[in-house]
Amino acid sequence: MSGVALGIEIVSVFFLALFLLHRYGDFKKQHRLVTVGTLLAWYLCFLIVFIIPLDVSTTIYNRCVARHAITPAPGNISVLIPTPGIVSNATTEHHLPSSDKLRSSDNSLEECSKPWSYIPRGIMPIFWRVVYWTSQFLTWILLPFMQSYARSGGFSITGKIKTALIENAIYYGTYLLIFGTLLIYVAVNPNLHLEWYQLQTIGIAAANTWGLFLLVLLMGYGLVEIPRSQWNGAKKGYLLMKTYFKAAKLMTEKADAEETLEDFMEEVHKINECIKYNHPLRKCVDTILKKCPTEYQEKMGRNMDDYEDFEEKNISYPSEKTLVKLHKQVIYAVQRHRRTQVQWSNLLEQAFHLEDVAKNETSAAKQFVHTFPHQEPESWIMRRLYTPRVEWYWECLLRLWCSRILAVILALFSMVVVWSECTFFSAKPVLSLFAVFIQQAEQTHNYIYVEVVCFLSIFFLSICVYSTVFRIRVFNYYYLASHHQTDAYSLLFSGMLFCRLTPPLCLNFLGLTHMDVSISHQNIEPTAYTSIMGSLRVFPLIADVFYIYYPMLVLILCIATYFSLGTRCLNLLGFQQFMGDNDMTSDLTDEGKELIRREKRKRQRLEDGESRRREWKERYPTNREDTSRNRNVNSDQKEPAYTEMTTNRSSRYTRASNRTERDRIELLQDAEPLDFNADNFSDDPLDSESLRYQPGGRYLSMSQSNCRIFDDV
């Protein structure tokens, strides 16, 4: 069963990482190396979290066996067994023949029952070495290089590699400087000797120190924000007001993204007009055009019909560096524009759903009614099980109570974590609640209980840390957007963060449970994970001070998060944040509410128009065919002799036969009120140029004429 448990977790974690990457990334548009690198980083980090409970249960079993171990002597074995007939606890030493070794060993194994997920010795150390050093190679060397490579605007592989090396020169130089400083410290200290083990410990200590510093900051935010978000989600109207606030902010970002894209498209259009087909840089321009949206490609086209020599005119052509910079800017602008469009569509669906929930809460029929039908068809199972009545009970009644109960449970978990973080350094008495739970299970040899407690504990810690990574946004440089809208740079950056946060997270968890021998101060067998980390006694300041007392800072961070100090500071700096007692929040909420109302009216008009068209087609399915057939027959039978007669007769026949058609069209027309916004008026600077050529680079003079060739005959 041990190999089965390990294999199941390895496969399950892979599919979990693949699912999350598919949700945030786009396999079709992203580079394969970006997908593979991010997937490998996420997979290794999730794997460490899920395998730690197996390592803990296996270590507890090995410690139990070590306590009952029998030390063999030459020819016989010496054991301490109780003397029969003596009531006291005294024991006498007996020499058993070597044939009795197996019987005594079996008795010790009966006391230490083997866990169902036991992993044999020698496997876990090798497994942890491969996983740990692979993740460190990814986060410190490969992923930073791939970040620069993905964002580079070069037109060749060599150019992208050169740009990535230049951008990472300072990055790598900083870490080499830190490592060299620590190396000099070890060399100067007379009590230490330079060996490979010390060098390995220096690297691990530097990486874990940086990761623990960031880990406590993210954990302090997640421990408070996750339970609070669940509790606020159960408040009536809270999510709807927050959605209105997001709509106002997203509309501003959406307008800015559209304006930025138009500016870059205008610049691309000028370069496209300047650089002709026979220019050496024409291939670079074609590469940029391929990254532009389809509508802009059709407007600009490719001027393949212009055979002017580029050397005959004195025109200042852009350099290759200028095109590389423009290529990088176009990629970023297109990605941002596409992301804001998708986010706006999803936010509208969320706002419409929350408004439907608010309306249906007072429904006496207890049937959930949607304002707009689902865009995607529901499956047969959902239609049978998730009926309108079931949906009403869940959305209007049960979901609120479930959110409250979940918020209370998460708040209790958070308090346990904060208490344990502040008291885990105390070995006697044991104050950490995680250590108390594990030690009680260790005494009863209940390995299932050990694995469940370890899994729930480290899973909650991981949720607090990883959810913060998914929520934070560093302007427009790092942002994880769902629905396949995350760019390559953000995906690789998230992989780097996961690889740097997961090892100190696991060490911190093992310290909370006192499975780390440096915390428990016992001469017992360590876990396989802590054994590969080495002894941090090389740096007493880090091992005895920073690793012990720095996690206590999580209490201060939790208090600051509870009172929203960070949100208030950002709001004072001009970054609008959702705060209920703020005038700016109220103004943005009202603005978002009006935007949602306008979009709702637009969609309602479209739905009404489509319903009228479907109703007309169902009511008059044959009248339309007969009208068109009669019109074709009349036009074929009547052939005029003169042009004027043709015009008069055709107009008369048209008026006679198309009266019904005209009436039908007038009924179907959707009389919308004029909406003076950007959708009605085109400010595209390329529209003036579109009169010169047709899509695909065809000029009007070369395009097909609207008049037929035999009209004058």
Side-chain angles (χ1 to χ4, degrees):
M1 290 295 293
S2 59
V4 175
L6 184 61
I8 290 175
E9 291 207 3
I10 290 175
V11 175
S12 302
V13 171
F14 175 79
F15 283 106
L16 175 62
L18 187 65
F19 169 75
L20 290 177
L21 183 58
H22 173 70
R23 176 176 174 80
Y24 287 91
D26 193 347
F27 294 158
K28 297 180 180 179
K29 296 181 180 180
Q30 290 171 353
H31 198 278
R32 293 181 180 178
L33 294 179
V34 174
T35 303
V36 173
T38 308
L39 178 61
L40 183 59
W42 289 15
Y43 172 62
L44 293 178
C45 296
F46 297 161
L47 191 63
I48 294 175
V49 172
F50 279 81
I51 301 298
I52 280 290
L54 301 183
D55 191 6
V56 172
S57 61
T58 302
T59 303
I60 291 176
Y61 172 75
N62 292 335
R63 291 176 180 178
C64 180
V65 173
R67 285 195 299 266
H68 297 83
I70 302 171
T71 305
N76 54 34
I77 184 167
S78 178
V79 294
L80 294 177
I81 60 175
T83 304
I86 300 178
V87 181
S88 65
N89 295 329
T91 57
T92 57
E93 184 176 358
H94 295 269
H95 295 278
L96 299 178
S98 59
S99 60
D100 294 338
K101 177 182 178 180
L102 182 60
R103 178 178 59 82
S104 300
S105 178
D106 292 340
N107 293 333
S108 65
L109 293 178
E110 289 178 0
E111 295 182 9
C112 305
S113 58
K114 182 181 295 185
W116 71 279
S117 59
Y118 176 75
I119 300 175
R121 290 180 178 272
I123 295 179
M124 289 305 297
I126 298 175
F127 176 81
W128 286 131
R129 285 192 182 94
V130 172
V131 171
Y132 177 77
W133 290 112
T134 303
S135 64
Q136 295 306 301
F137 173 77
L138 288 174
T139 186
W140 298 107
I141 298 178
L142 185 59
L143 293 184
F145 177 82
M146 293 179 64
Q147 265 189 311
S148 302
Y149 183 89
R151 277 193 94 173
S152 174
F155 300 100
S156 62
I157 298 178
T158 306
K160 291 184 177 182
I161 293 176
K162 181 180 178 181
T163 304
L165 290 176
I166 294 175
E167 290 183 357
N168 286 274
I170 301 176
Y171 179 82
Y172 295 137
T174 304
Y175 291 119
L176 288 177
L177 179 63
I178 297 175
F179 183 78
T181 303
L182 296 175
L183 191 64
I184 294 174
Y185 168 76
V186 176
V188 173
N189 195 338
N191 298 326
L192 300 176
H193 301 283
L194 283 177
E195 297 179 358
W196 171 249
Y197 179 77
Q198 276 78 17
L199 294 177
Q200 178 180 344
T201 305
I202 290 173
I204 294 175
N208 290 337
T209 302
W210 190 96
L212 184 62
F213 177 80
L214 184 61
L215 174 70
V216 174
L217 298 179
L218 299 179
M219 186 186 298
Y221 176 82
L223 288 173
V224 176
E225 190 61 29
I226 291 179
R228 183 165 59 184
S229 62
Q230 292 294 327
W231 183 263
N232 291 334
K235 295 181 180 179
K236 292 184 178 181
Y238 177 84
L239 290 180
L240 187 57
M241 292 297 104
K242 193 172 184 179
T243 304
Y244 290 153
F245 179 83
K246 290 181 179 179
K249 291 187 62 177
L250 185 58
M251 175 55 72
T252 304
E253 183 183 357
K254 179 171 171 287
D256 183 62
E258 291 175 354
E259 183 180 355
T260 303
L261 180 63
E262 289 179 358
D263 293 341
F264 287 132
M265 290 300 102
E266 183 179 0
E267 188 173 354
V268 171
H269 175 68
K270 294 178 181 179
I271 293 178
N272 182 47
E273 287 291 319
C274 176
I275 298 180
K276 305 302 179 182
Y277 80 101
N278 51 359
H279 196 279
L281 297 177
R282 183 62 203 183
K283 293 182 179 180
C284 301
V285 177
D286 293 339
T287 303
I288 297 176
L289 288 176
K290 291 179 181 178
K291 303 298 176 60
C292 299
T294 306
E295 58 270 18
Y296 289 97
Q297 293 184 26
E298 293 177 352
K299 290 179 181 179
M300 288 182 288
R302 294 182 60 187
N303 48 356
M304 297 296 295
D305 297 329
D306 196 343
Y307 289 93
E308 297 180 1
D309 193 355
F310 68 92
E311 295 180 353
E312 294 180 357
K313 295 183 179 181
N314 296 325
I315 302 177
S316 59
Y317 295 100
S319 62
E320 186 176 358
K321 291 183 178 180
T322 304
L323 295 180
V324 168
K325 183 179 179 181
L326 180 61
H327 186 205
K328 181 179 180 179
Q329 293 172 341
V330 167
I331 293 174
Y332 172 73
V334 171
Q335 174 66 30
R336 186 187 175 197
H337 178 262
R338 187 185 302 113
R339 184 186 67 206
T340 53
Q341 295 290 336
V342 174
Q343 286 179 334
W344 177 251
S345 178
N346 296 330
L347 189 64
L348 289 179
E349 294 295 333
Q350 181 182 358
F352 295 157
H353 175 71
L354 292 175
E355 288 179 347
D356 291 341
V357 172
K359 292 179 180 179
N360 284 274
E361 284 179 351
T362 58
S363 175
K366 297 182 179 180
Q367 297 280 341
F368 198 90
V369 180
H370 292 273
T371 304
F372 303 109
H374 294 285
Q375 296 183 355
E376 298 180 358
E378 295 182 352
S379 61
W380 178 83
I381 299 178
M382 291 297 296
R383 289 197 304 268
R384 297 286 293 180
L385 298 179
Y386 199 61
T387 60
R389 181 173 293 275
V390 174
E391 186 176 3
W392 186 90
Y393 275 102
W394 168 250
E395 294 291 345
C396 302
L397 187 62
L398 296 178
R399 190 184 64 82
L400 303 179
W401 285 103
C402 291
S403 296
R404 293 190 182 99
I405 294 173
L406 182 60
V408 172
I409 295 174
L410 294 176
L412 293 177
F413 264 100
S414 297
M415 289 187 288
V416 170
V417 171
V418 173
W419 172 262
S420 301
E421 290 285 357
C422 296
T423 59
F424 77 95
F425 61 89
S426 176
K428 291 182 181 181
V430 178
L431 300 178
S432 174
L433 297 180
F434 291 109
V436 172
F437 297 152
I438 296 300
Q439 289 179 5
Q440 289 180 353
E442 184 178 1
Q443 293 175 0
T444 59
H445 306 289
N446 192 348
Y447 299 107
I448 299 295
Y449 177 77
V450 170
E451 294 178 2
V452 170
V453 171
C454 290
F455 176 77
L456 293 178
S457 303
I458 196 171
F459 183 74
F460 179 72
L461 294 176
S462 303
I463 291 295
C464 293
V465 176
Y466 293 161
S467 63
T468 309
V469 174
F470 280 96
R471 287 185 180 186
I472 61 176
R473 177 176 180 176
V474 184
F475 299 103
N476 289 318
Y477 296 98
Y478 171 73
Y479 181 39
L480 290 176
S482 58
H483 299 87
H484 322 291
Q485 298 305 314
T486 307
D487 57 353
Y489 183 88
S490 298
L491 287 176
L492 294 172
F493 189 76
S494 66
M496 292 168 53
L497 285 180
F498 285 161
C499 291
R500 297 179 188 181
L501 291 172
T502 304
L505 172 65
C506 294
L507 281 178
N508 181 256
F509 166 74
L510 294 175
L512 295 178
T513 57
H514 286 192
M515 294 298 296
D516 190 353
V517 294
S518 61
I519 303 297
S520 61
H521 303 291
Q522 296 179 5
N523 189 15
I524 54 179
E525 180 180 354
T527 60
Y529 186 80
T530 54
S531 64
I532 69 164
M533 291 295 175
S535 177
L536 297 179
R537 297 301 173 186
V538 179
F539 303 103
L541 180 64
I542 295 177
D544 298 334
V545 178
F546 184 78
Y547 280 179
I548 301 299
Y549 298 104
Y550 178 73
M552 296 181 185
L553 186 63
V554 73
L555 177 61
I556 301 176
L557 294 173
C558 288
I559 296 175
T561 306
Y562 179 79
F563 291 103
S564 303
L565 296 182
T567 302
R568 298 179 188 276
C569 292
L570 290 176
N571 203 20
L572 291 176
L573 293 175
F575 300 97
Q576 290 83 7
Q577 303 294 318
F578 184 75
M579 299 176 62
D581 55 348
N582 189 281
D583 295 336
M584 182 64 69
T585 301
S586 301
D587 295 340
L588 290 176
T589 301
D590 296 338
E591 181 183 351
K593 186 176 182 179
E594 186 61 31
L595 291 172
I596 297 298
R597 187 180 302 171
R598 187 183 67 178
E599 294 293 335
K600 193 172 185 178
R601 288 198 303 265
K602 287 183 179 181
R603 181 170 296 188
Q604 189 67 49
R605 289 196 297 266
L606 292 176
E607 293 289 338
D608 294 342
E610 290 294 332
S611 61
R612 288 197 298 268
R613 288 185 181 91
R614 288 193 299 267
E615 182 180 356
W616 185 268
K617 290 180 181 179
E618 294 176 357
R619 184 179 298 179
Y620 304 103
T622 58
N623 188 19
R624 182 180 179 185
E625 297 178 359
D626 294 341
T627 303
S628 60
R629 188 183 300 111
N630 293 334
R631 185 167 63 249
N632 293 334
V633 171
N634 292 334
S635 62
D636 292 340
Q637 290 179 353
K638 303 292 183 178
E639 184 173 357
Y642 301 98
T643 306
E644 296 178 357
M645 295 176 61
T646 303
T647 306
N648 295 332
R649 292 181 182 181
S650 61
S651 61
R652 185 168 61 253
Y653 286 137
T654 303
R655 287 194 298 269
S657 60
N658 288 352
R659 182 172 301 169
T660 305
E661 181 74 8
R662 186 173 64 253
D663 295 340
R664 183 178 66 85
I665 293 175
E666 290 178 356
L667 288 174
L668 293 178
Q669 284 180 346
D670 186 14
E672 292 185 18
L674 288 178
D675 210 354
F676 293 94
N677 51 26
D679 297 333
N680 301 109
F681 298 95
S682 176
D683 296 333
D684 190 358
L686 301 179
D687 288 343
S688 60
E689 299 293 336
S690 62
L691 299 175
R692 296 179 52 202
Y693 52 82
Q694 291 290 337
R698 303 183 64 180
Y699 288 85
L700 287 175
S701 59
M702 302 181 62
S703 61
Q704 185 178 2
S705 176
N706 294 327
C707 299
R708 288 173 293 183
I709 193 171
F710 293 104
D711 282 350
D712 295 335
V713 177

